[in-house]
Amino acid sequence: MDNNKNTAIKIESITRNFVMGSETVHALRGVSFDVHEGEFVSIMGSSGSGKSTLLNLLGCLDRPTAGHYFLDEVSVGELSRNQLAEIRNHKIGFVFQSFNLLPRTSALENVELPLMYNPSYSSRQRRQRAEAALEQVGLTSRMKHTPSQLSGGQQQRVAIARALINDPVLILADEATGNLDSRTSFEILSLFQRLNEQGKTIVFVTHENDIASFTKRIITLKDGRILKDNINTKVEDAREWLENLPKQDD
Amino acid sequence: MSRNKMRTFLTMLGIIIGVASVITMLAIGQGSKESIEKQISDMGANMIMIFPSSGSQGGVRLDASSMQRLTLDDVIAIEEKAVNVSAVSPLVSSRGQVVSGANNWPTSIQGVGTEFLSIRKMEVKEGIMFNERDIRSASKVCLLGKTVVENLFPNGESPLGKTIRFNQIPFKVIGILTEKGQNTFGQDQDDVIIAPYTTLQKRILAITHVQSIYASAASEAVSEVAVDEIVAVLRETHRLRPSDQDDFNVRSQQELISTISSTSQMLTVLLAAIAGISLLVGGIGIMNIMFVSVTERTREIGLRMAVGGKGRHILTQFLMEAIIVSIGGGLIGVTLGLSVSLLIGKAAGWPVTVTENSIIVSFLVCTVIGVFFGWYPARKAASLDPIEALRYE
């Protein structure tokens, strides 16, 4: 691991219990790891392994039962709901499996959404940053389109642009290719790889080995504990895969 | 909100229909109530009749009509002193044979003052009523009821301007009364001739007293008060001591008045029920549509929170939307309700009355329900964990 770089995430023996009636479910039983700036990590695990819980904690959508979580050197564990909302707004970019774009709203306005809740941006700055973010994901020509006028891949790229607009410390992707066909998945993965090359820290939650092989580090969870935490020695290049796919006859 | 025009429109429509239907229902209800009350009141419910009471002379009980206790002074005193009496007229009457050309008919002639028609809720169909000057000069003019017209002028010629004879005395016909039909006792109210009371007093009966007095209370509600006033006035003009019994009878239309008040009470209850039910139905409609349209947006709320929206941002947004939709819909609803009410009034000829209260109440209730049920599910969604809200189906 490259220790010269700043730590983006520091997790120290985090546990998370859910009380379901009389039973207590231990979703996470003491998980610790660090993620440095510029890493591209995938968190693997079958369903029930605790990866969704970990994702919610990393995304400041949930708080740990015990343990410490430092995001960009801020301890997140003790923050209130509103403070968490601010952290999400300033430091995290989400990409969801089901895109979660506002319907009947142009791509540009969808991308602007996080900055709507940040009073330090004027509406002109919002517009400029949204245009820049859409340019980064290659959708300059479709800024005025609404989600229903865009393909699945294009919608996910709008969602990625939305995750980029606040220049986050961390981009969290939850099965971001889960709803896409393989060609489009490779396009999106290639976009993530390019963003990572530009220095973005990305945490990608998935249950597919194929997808994880495109990331630089793979953390595997099982039953609420870390099973493996390996550097991926053979990172696949999504662009190559894309080129090797049989040509589509459109 | 502006993005989903269809949803906004449908939500507004719920409120529009709610407000408009309440206003229209109440307008029809109120109109019917007033119309029914007026119809009963037109039966002469505020009429008050004053008769001399029967007395006795030397042990012989005498018929009330032969008593000479009511005079024109009584009429004038009632007119001046009884403030809740709006109209008063003396009445003297006589029966006899009326003749016109070859036709004759037994009927009664009533000598009255100019206000008698309004007291009895009678109207002049053709011609004119006699006036104060006719009364002062004891003019020989008269108005005929329909039955009299039919019997004296069977060929359909107009009696106006003709001269008829009642007990040999000629009267000029100056008007015809609108028909009233039978009263509740089966008496034909159109079998009558009306003339100035002075004419009857001087030329037919040769008396100076009046046989009875008819008066109108200012409204049904003050009818009892008016009766009391008349009793007090008459006791004073008749110089009765407190220990003396009344030498007159004052009768109001108790039966009609109690019919009016019970009908009016019933209609008020009915109206309240209509208002309550239509508000309930409208309110539930609004509740549902607001609830569904906001609950449907739980995922949107989850997303907004995930990207950094705080609870108050979400609530402010949804509250503003609910307020705009509810007030906008409410205003359109009021306009629509007014137009529909007027249209129904015009097209169907129904009596409709739009009251300010119905507008205010329906607008307030519907907008408050709209705002509350726009705000409440939004608050519920905003208090969820963002991740739960995002997974909401």
Side-chain angles (χ1 to χ4, degrees), chain A residues 60 63 74-85 87:
Chain A
C60 299
R63 278 171 288 192
V74 177
S75 175
V76 171
E78 298 94 65
L79 299 181
S80 69
R81 273 176 74 95
N82 278 345
Q83 285 169 319
L84 283 180
I87 293 277

Side-chain angles (χ1 to χ4, degrees), chain A residues 81 86 88-89 100 117, chain B residues 299 303-305 307 310 382:
Chain A
R81 273 176 74 95
E86 250 167 63
R88 291 197 294 272
N89 190 237
N100 279 324
Y117 298 112
Chain B
R299 277 166 67 95
L303 171 74
R304 286 177 181 277
M305 289 196 294
V307 301
K310 295 175 189 168

Side-chain angles (χ1 to χ4, degrees), chain B residues 66-365:
Chain B
S66 61
M67 305 299 291
Q68 306 189 1
R69 290 204 175 103
L70 294 176
T71 63
L72 280 176
D73 290 342
D74 294 335
V75 176
I76 293 163
I78 291 171
E79 203 165 19
E80 284 173 354
K81 293 177 185 161
V83 289
N84 284 305
V85 171
S86 61
V88 59
S89 163
L91 180 86
V92 287
S93 70
S94 172
R95 282 199 71 83
Q97 209 72 9
V98 60
V99 180
S100 169
N103 299 305
N104 69 90
W105 177 248
T107 187
S108 69
I109 189 163
Q110 297 187 330
V112 298
T114 50
E115 288 178 328
F116 185 74
L117 293 191
S118 78
I119 295 168
R120 292 293 312 273
K121 311 284 180 195
M122 295 162 97
E123 276 162 22
V124 177
K125 193 164 96 184
E126 280 173 58
I128 50 161
M129 179 63 176
F130 50 81
N131 55 29
E132 289 296 336
R133 184 191 282 168
D134 293 320
I135 289 176
R136 278 199 301 276
S137 59
S139 299
K140 287 177 279 182
V141 293
C142 70
L143 290 89
L144 305 183
K146 180 175 158 258
T147 309
V148 178
V149 172
E150 277 170 358
N151 286 292
L152 292 186
F153 302 92
N155 300 326
E157 71 263 46
S158 171
L160 285 182
K162 299 265 168 54
T163 299
I164 57 164
R165 288 175 179 276
F166 185 90
N167 291 358
Q168 310 307 320
I169 298 154
F171 284 88
K172 190 182 172 200
V173 178
I174 59 168
I176 298 166
L177 298 169
T178 304
E179 59 175 299
K180 278 204 86 162
Q182 294 186 340
N183 70 8
T184 43
F185 305 108
Q187 268 177 336
D188 184 358
Q189 299 180 86
D190 298 319
D191 188 6
V192 72
I193 299 175
I194 284 177
Y197 65 91
T198 46
T199 313
L200 253 76
Q201 280 180 323
K202 288 177 187 164
R203 299 184 199 276
I204 294 177
L205 296 164
I207 53 171
T208 52
H209 68 274
V210 300
Q211 290 162 344
S212 57
I213 300 172
Y214 277 66
S216 263
S219 70
E220 286 84 25
V222 298
S223 180
E224 287 302 293
V225 185
V227 168
D228 293 345
E229 283 175 0
I230 290 170
V231 170
V233 168
L234 289 183
R235 285 187 73 89
E236 194 190 322
T237 52
H238 292 188
R239 298 204 174 79
L240 295 174
R241 286 187 299 250
S243 58
D244 290 341
Q245 279 197 328
D246 292 348
D247 57 354
F248 53 88
N249 274 322
V250 182
R251 290 194 208 126
S252 61
Q253 306 284 335
Q254 262 317 322
E255 204 178 344
L256 268 182
I257 288 172
S258 61
T259 307
I260 285 188
S261 70
S262 70
T263 308
S264 146
Q265 239 168 38
M266 206 172 67
L267 289 172
T268 308
V269 170
L270 183 74
L271 205 57
I274 292 174
I277 290 170
S278 36
L279 275 178
L280 190 74
V281 171
I284 287 175
I286 293 166
M287 190 177 92
N288 278 326
I289 205 155
M290 286 305 284
F291 201 86
V292 167
S293 82
V294 175
T295 307
E296 192 188 74
R297 295 168 73 185
T298 303
R299 277 166 67 95
E300 179 188 331
I301 292 174
L303 171 74
R304 286 177 181 277
M305 289 196 294
V307 301
K310 295 175 189 168
R312 65 182 155 86
H313 291 134
I314 309 292
L315 281 183
T316 313
Q317 183 197 344
F318 278 79
L319 197 61
M320 287 310 291
E321 290 191 14
I323 288 172
I324 293 171
V325 167
S326 300
I327 290 182
L331 289 177
I332 298 174
V334 168
T335 320
L336 189 71
L338 287 176
S339 345
V340 169
S341 302
L342 291 179
L343 207 69
I344 287 178
K346 281 248 170 73
W350 286 1
V352 286
T353 310
V354 181
T355 57
E356 274 173 41
N357 280 347
S358 74
I359 294 177
I360 294 169
V361 167
S362 61
F363 180 79
L364 276 186
V365 170

Side-chain angles (χ1 to χ4, degrees), chain A residues 162-222:
Chain A
R162 184 178 64 196
L164 289 172
I165 192 168
N166 55 355
D167 197 14
V169 178
L170 175 68
I171 295 177
L172 272 178
D174 179 15
E175 305 275 12
T177 56
N179 279 8
L180 302 172
D181 62 48
S182 51
R183 168 175 286 271
T184 322
S185 295
F186 291 136
E187 282 172 9
I188 295 297
L189 282 168
S190 132
L191 175 59
F192 273 118
Q193 285 186 327
R194 208 181 70 220
L195 291 171
N196 179 242
E197 279 161 29
Q198 292 165 6
K200 295 286 172 203
T201 314
I202 300 168
V203 172
F204 206 115
V205 174
T206 181
H207 63 272
E208 286 177 69
N209 282 315
D210 301 355
I211 304 291
S213 66
F214 292 92
T215 63
K216 290 178 185 167
R217 177 182 167 194
I218 304 171
I219 298 174
T220 311
L221 288 180
K222 194 177 184 200

